[in-house]
Amino acid sequence: MEIYDNLSKYRIFLSVAECRSISKAADQLYISQPAVSMTIKKLESSLGCTLFVRKSRGVTLTERGKLLYDSVKQAINIITDAETNMKEMQHTGRLRIAASNVLCKYILMPYLQKFTRIYPTTDVSITCTSSANAHAMLEECSIDLALTAKPENINGLSYYSLGMIKDIFVCTPAYFKRLKCEVRDIFNRGNIMLLNKDNVSRMHVDNYYAENGIAPSHILEVNDMDMLIALAKIGIGISCVVKQFVEKELSAGELLEIKLKKPIPPREIGFLYNDTIHPSNENIAKLINIDV
């Protein structure tokens, strides 16, 4: 409380110094003249020096008073600027987002394109990281919004669903023909290309393998879904990718979806955020409600 009391004293001190009058400062601050006089006396007593020379027509600063005025004025200006910036952030501000590389490219990008066009004064920062790390960053308040597959436990956070995505296995028609096997044998005969083990998408596929007793004989791991798509397109093997991200290749016949007897369960993706923070970041609602 002492810090706040001193701040109040210094605001009164500045007003008296600038008005050069205790009575005018009291009028300006909407407090009584005796209260202003008492505050100045207490401030002088605590600092052990005289700050004002009292005259019949007002007051003037002493040399010590001038030194204090310069320092306090600078400090108050810093506080005032900070208050102004905080208020302006409610109208423009910033938006910190985290998402995996693939979700950023295929899902987040259309939102960002519209958002930055509609709200050009808002600062937007993007962190490309795993979905699991994006969730952790949100809980640490180092970001405002995470685009992720829906976690099993959102720990009191809010989730805005963007719908379901479907993982499928794809390869070129020529590669599938070259295998000369039934669909049920592709995991034994084919070169299965997957994301690295620490990726949420890979974990989802590994769970599917475990539940269905599948143990691929040949696995090639990469850390990027674009690389999985590219490798599949040149006939290296069979890639596990999100179907929505290869619709163009499937339609053109560049890639073939391998129809599994038991498909991989779809996953829900969406925006994860904390709506208990006050004041809430209005830019979160602006982004997630954009029609893409």
Side-chain angles (χ1 to χ4, degrees):
M1 288 299 294
E2 183 179 354
I3 294 174
Y4 297 108
D5 289 341
N6 285 339
L7 182 59
S8 178
K9 291 176 184 176
Y10 286 128
R11 288 189 182 277
I12 292 173
F13 164 75
L14 284 182
S15 183
V16 173
E18 291 169 355
C19 292
R20 297 185 179 182
S21 167
I22 289 177
S23 60
K24 290 180 180 179
D27 291 340
Q28 184 183 75
L29 298 170
Y30 299 102
I31 57 178
S32 68
Q33 183 173 331
V36 175
S37 296
M38 183 60 68
T39 298
I40 297 300
K41 286 180 181 179
K42 287 182 178 180
L43 187 58
E44 289 178 326
S45 176
S46 65
L47 296 176
C49 64
T50 300
L51 300 173
F52 293 101
V53 176
R54 279 74 173 173
K55 298 180 179 181
S56 58
R57 294 186 178 181
V59 296
T60 58
L61 288 167
T62 63
E63 287 302 313
R64 293 284 185 91
K66 290 177 181 178
L67 290 174
L68 181 64
Y69 174 84
D70 291 339
S71 296
V72 172
K73 184 67 174 179
Q74 183 178 9
I76 294 296
N77 285 340
I78 291 173
I79 295 173
T80 301
D81 289 343
E83 291 176 342
T84 300
N85 290 337
M86 291 298 292
K87 291 175 181 177
E88 288 179 350
M89 284 180 65
Q90 296 180 16
H91 303 288
T92 57
R94 64 176 181 175
L95 184 60
R96 302 166 300 170
I97 310 170
S100 66
N101 287 329
V102 66
L103 289 181
C104 184
K105 176 179 179 180
Y106 290 100
I107 303 296
L108 183 60
M109 199 63 69
Y111 283 87
L112 291 178
Q113 288 174 336
K114 282 197 172 182
F115 183 85
T116 54
R117 185 172 68 248
I118 299 171
Y119 308 105
T121 60
T122 300
D123 294 328
V124 179
S125 62
I126 309 296
T127 300
C128 289
T129 185
S130 67
S131 291
N133 192 47
H135 188 180
M137 292 175 69
L138 187 64
E139 291 184 323
E140 295 168 358
C141 295
S142 56
I143 59 169
D144 305 301
L145 192 65
L147 175 58
T148 72
K150 187 175 184 179
E152 292 184 6
N153 186 355
I154 61 176
N155 297 323
L157 298 171
S158 295
Y159 191 79
Y160 183 88
S161 177
L162 297 178
M164 310 299 287
I165 57 174
K166 184 179 180 182
D167 297 282
I168 61 172
F169 288 94
V170 298
C171 64
T172 61
Y175 182 83
F176 184 72
K177 184 177 181 180
R178 191 162 69 246
L179 287 179
K180 297 180 180 179
C181 68
E182 300 294 327
V183 169
R184 63 176 179 270
D185 297 321
I186 64 168
F187 296 109
N188 294 325
R189 299 286 298 276
N191 185 24
I192 307 301
M193 300 184 290
L194 306 169
L195 292 172
N196 292 335
K197 287 184 177 292
D198 59 350
N199 189 283
V200 171
S201 297
R202 170 64 182 276
M203 295 176 189
H204 183 66
V205 175
D206 283 346
N207 288 337
Y208 168 80
Y209 284 160
E211 291 172 0
N212 291 275
I214 297 173
S217 300
H218 308 284
I219 292 179
L220 186 154
E221 294 183 342
V222 299
N223 61 4
D224 181 81
M225 189 163 293
D226 281 343
M227 181 62 70
L228 286 179
I229 296 171
L231 291 172
K233 287 170 68 174
I234 61 174
I236 297 295
I238 301 170
S239 289
C240 184
V241 300
V242 173
K243 184 173 184 177
Q244 287 89 333
F245 303 162
V246 290
E247 292 286 4
K248 180 180 177 182
E249 289 81 358
L250 292 172
S251 297
E254 291 182 78
L255 292 176
L256 169 72
E257 177 183 357
I258 297 175
K259 301 289 186 178
L260 302 175
K261 184 176 181 181
K262 187 176 180 181
I264 302 173
R267 294 179 289 147
E268 186 176 4
I269 60 167
F271 291 113
L272 193 64
Y273 59 98
N274 190 340
D275 62 358
T276 64
I277 296 175
H278 181 77
S280 61
N281 189 339
E282 295 179 358
N283 291 313
I284 295 174
K286 291 176 181 176
L287 179 77
I288 66 179
N289 288 313
I290 284 178
D291 183 21
V292 296

